[in-house]
Amino acid sequence: MKKYSGFSLFRNALSHNLNWKQAWRKPEPKKHYDVIIVGGGGHGLATAYYLAKVHKIKNIAVVEKGWIGGGNTGRNTTIVRSNYLWTEASLFYEKSLKLWEGLSQDLNYNVMFSQRGVYNLGHNLQDMRDIERRVSANRLNGIDAEVVNATQIKAEIPLIDTSPDARYPILGASLQRRGGVARHDAIAWGFARAADALGVDIIEQCEVTGIHREKGRVTGIDTTRGKINAPKIGVVVAGNASVLAKMVDLRLPIESHPLQAFVSEPMKPVLDTVVMSGAVHGYVSQSDKGELVIGAGVDSYVGYGQRGSFQTIEHTLEAIVQLFPMFSRVRLLRMWGGIVDVCPDACPIVSKTPVDGLYFNCGWGTGGFKATPGSGWAFAHTIANDHPHELNAPFSLERFTTGALIDEHGAAAVAH
Amino acid sequence: MLLIRCPWCGDRAESEFSCGGEAGISRPLEPNALNDADWSDYLFNRTNARGAHKELWNHAAGCRRWFEAERDTVSYVIKRTYKLGQAD
């Protein structure tokens, strides 16, 4: 792997940028691997990278039915934060946030991680009580968090409507200053390039059609590019988790929903932070290109179609325009839907399964992007040691049988 | 927006309805006879089918009655809707 640097930019500029090498190889699948990761999104590529880097496993394949980062990694609002309520969740997301902070250096790839702060708005007294509770819980867990009032919000975000007669009056917010946004494509490309440099085979256009088992153990997969054998298989396929689980007669506590987001036409910088509101199901930030990036809540029905219903868009935009009246004149440029795998307790499953050698990483629902490096790091540990790390042990599949759910849905009261 | 045929009111806009999730899940008659795994399966596990899917819908801003729909979860085409218990 040729290292990217200021000097390499300069040298390639001299040759009219015609001599950049491809960032990762396009290998043919081998007959056998030590570990196969199914799913070439951010989480899958991160898993492969940490398996190779931390656990020194060399013979790894990532199989992806489409192209790298073409699923939810390229279809989200790129918000990164770790201010979750429950200790299990907040420590896991905080591990991820810490990895984000060093990721560009680690991968030698600029993931454009910008810690511009994340505001979670409170619109009524109960919201503010929940915010006080969550901020206190975060601080007890060593995570930066503060409560700000409406005057402070108005001082830092002049465009926001904090007047008392607003449709959604703003009483205050929680603020995590270390939160922010990152470049969605860069995280997939950066992990793919770094994993490839460590010898990981990234096999695109390769859909899994079956999973082989012998005596309760996985032995390999059938794909559209032939059979591939491996004693360990990690499945990280987001919205299609239930489809893969069905191949081994496993039922998951997951439903797949469309989640929509939209981008406006580019404009001059107006918003230098991230504003979220769980109560109105909307969140907004401004990209480096100047587009407003706006996210909605999930559509209520099960859907695999990568698009959702118009009233969900309308509902979210109504709320955003109420919060930021100036945005009423901004036109949308494009919109899209991703398929998110939602667990009943809104927490992920990063776990072993009843099938030996088969591991599932799913259920991230609407909040998976922020967890990309931490999820890969913990899943790699789980696969390499056949045992979860203490950070992801609470996120097992068994918690739905034992009842030890981690109820972030109601408790955190925030849109993911 | 989907056009959904309420078995009582006819074709109406999707925004009048709320989706009640997978159909055909009935509460076990003797919960005490179930082990934790079976109870968990009833409570949490879902078919989450990619393709044909039977689900419950409620005409929330209309007649407020529940009915079932057969919908494709990839194309979102609603094949048919019918009153509860009239699947066939």
Side-chain angles (χ1 to χ4, degrees):
Chain A
M1 181 174 88
K2 277 260 170 33
K3 202 169 181 307
Y4 291 160
S5 62
F7 179 69
S8 75
L9 272 180
F10 180 69
R11 195 185 55 226
N12 279 285
L14 289 180
S15 57
H16 304 282
N17 288 314
L18 293 171
N19 293 321
W20 290 104
K21 296 281 178 285
Q22 65 176 2
W24 60 88
R25 297 164 292 131
K26 301 267 181 216
E28 283 300 311
K30 288 191 273 186
K31 288 268 176 280
H32 181 91
Y33 289 95
D34 294 338
V35 180
I36 297 174
I37 303 297
V38 181
H43 289 229
L45 294 163
T47 306
Y49 172 69
Y50 289 114
L51 272 172
K53 186 186 175 217
V54 180
H55 304 283
K56 310 293 178 203
I57 298 173
K58 292 298 171 206
N59 197 19
I60 305 170
V62 177
V63 296
E64 162 60 43
K65 77 170 175 182
W67 63 93
I68 291 308
N72 290 351
T73 310
R75 292 167 175 266
N76 65 81
T77 50
T78 76
I79 297 167
V80 178
R81 60 187 178 86
S82 66
N83 56 353
Y84 282 67
L85 174 68
W86 298 108
T87 299
E88 296 89 341
S90 60
L91 292 184
F92 196 10
Y93 286 103
E94 177 63 13
K95 168 70 187 176
S96 192
L97 181 52
K98 290 221 169 83
L99 288 170
W100 272 110
E101 286 173 334
L103 205 57
S104 290
Q105 292 300 323
D106 189 26
L107 298 179
N108 180 232
Y109 201 103
N110 186 4
V111 296
M112 296 167 74
F113 181 44
S114 161
Q115 292 177 294
R116 57 184 66 181
V118 174
Y119 289 82
N120 291 100
L121 300 179
H123 300 286
N124 55 44
L125 199 56
Q126 188 57 46
D127 279 0
M128 292 314 297
R129 289 192 187 113
D130 289 339
I131 283 172
E132 292 275 5
R133 180 187 179 202
R134 184 160 46 78
V135 165
S136 303
N138 289 157
R139 295 171 80 121
L140 286 171
N141 281 326
I143 295 166
D144 77 302
E146 53 197 278
V147 180
V148 289
N149 62 31
T151 315
Q152 290 166 299
I153 295 173
K154 186 72 182 170
E156 293 204 37
I157 314 169
L159 291 180
I160 205 164
D161 183 7
T162 53
S163 57
D165 56 351
R167 171 68 183 82
Y168 303 110
I170 293 167
L171 302 187
S174 74
L175 166 62
Q176 185 177 25
R177 291 190 191 273
R178 284 165 62 238
V181 292
R183 172 89 197 277
H184 54 332
D185 293 322
I187 184 79
W189 297 338
F191 270 123
R193 175 171 168 270
D196 179 86
L198 294 171
V200 174
D201 279 1
I202 296 167
I203 303 158
E204 294 169 83
Q205 307 288 329
C206 180
E207 183 174 355
V208 174
T209 54
I211 299 174
H212 289 279
R213 281 173 292 171
E214 254 174 49
K215 295 179 190 138
R217 270 207 75 85
V218 289
T219 56
I221 52 173
D222 280 328
T223 74
T224 48
R225 294 177 66 174
K227 184 168 187 276
I228 311 174
N229 293 319
K232 287 183 174 185
I233 296 169
V235 178
V236 206
V237 294
N240 283 305
S242 299
V243 179
L244 270 285
K246 204 177 167 191
M247 292 177 186
V248 290
D249 309 312
L250 189 66
R251 273 163 63 80
L252 294 177
I254 280 178
E255 285 197 308
S256 300
H257 293 271
L259 175 68
Q260 301 185 83
F262 351 100
V263 164
S264 78
E265 58 191 339
M267 52 191 191
K268 289 191 175 180
V270 290
L271 184 62
D272 63 355
T273 184
V274 183
V275 179
M276 312 179 67
S277 170
V280 301
H281 268 307
Y283 30 104
V284 60
S285 65
Q286 190 174 22
S287 73
D288 291 349
K289 276 192 287 184
E291 304 150 325
L292 294 176
V293 184
I294 299 168
V298 293
D299 281 90
S300 63
Y301 47 76
V302 170
Y304 286 87
Q306 294 194 317
R307 65 191 184 283
S309 292
F310 289 113
Q311 79 261 17
T312 306
I313 301 171
E314 191 180 5
H315 178 72
T316 295
L317 292 178
E318 277 169 4
I320 294 293
V321 169
Q322 293 289 349
L323 295 176
F324 296 92
M326 195 188 95
F327 292 169
S328 66
R329 296 187 293 283
V330 176
R331 286 165 298 186
L332 288 186
L333 201 62
R334 59 182 184 274
M335 60 197 200
W336 65 90
I339 302 306
V340 297
D341 40 340
V342 180
C343 266
D345 60 354
C347 274
I349 297 167
V350 184
S351 175
K352 296 170 69 170
T353 67
V355 184
D356 283 343
L358 183 67
Y359 309 86
F360 262 78
N361 183 348
C362 56
W364 288 96
T366 57
F369 181 78
K370 66 177 82 66
T372 304
S375 156
W377 185 87
F379 197 40
H381 182 99
T382 309
I383 293 173
N385 299 301
D386 194 33
H387 190 73
H389 188 271
E390 61 179 27
L391 280 179
N392 69 306
F395 299 93
S396 68
L397 196 52
E398 291 96 70
R399 76 176 187 270
F400 296 96
T401 309
T402 62
L405 304 185
I406 305 157
D407 187 14
E408 279 291 341
H409 227 32
V414 289
H416 293 258
Chain B
M1 194 178 290
L2 301 172
L3 195 62
I4 300 177
R5 176 162 296 171
C6 168
W8 286 276
C9 311
D11 289 335
R12 297 297 182 92
E14 181 196 343
S15 51
E16 292 186 15
F17 296 84
S18 65
C19 182
E22 187 177 333
I25 300 171
S26 48
R27 186 181 169 87
L29 291 173
E30 289 189 62
N32 288 334
L34 258 54
N35 61 29
D36 286 352
D38 290 340
W39 184 246
S40 158
D41 190 59
Y42 156 69
L43 218 50
F44 299 122
N45 288 349
R46 294 292 176 265
T47 310
N48 197 21
R50 186 186 171 102
H53 193 230
K54 282 186 182 171
E55 50 200 23
L56 287 164
W57 285 79
N58 180 243
H59 193 185
C63 65
R64 300 189 57 77
R65 279 188 277 199
W66 287 93
F67 61 94
E68 279 187 27
E70 242 179 74
R71 194 176 58 91
D72 187 298
T73 58
V74 181
S75 68
Y76 300 169
V77 170
I78 297 172
K79 295 221 173 67
R80 63 191 189 109
T81 56
Y82 47 91
K83 294 174 187 174
L84 292 183
Q86 297 184 357
D88 300 307

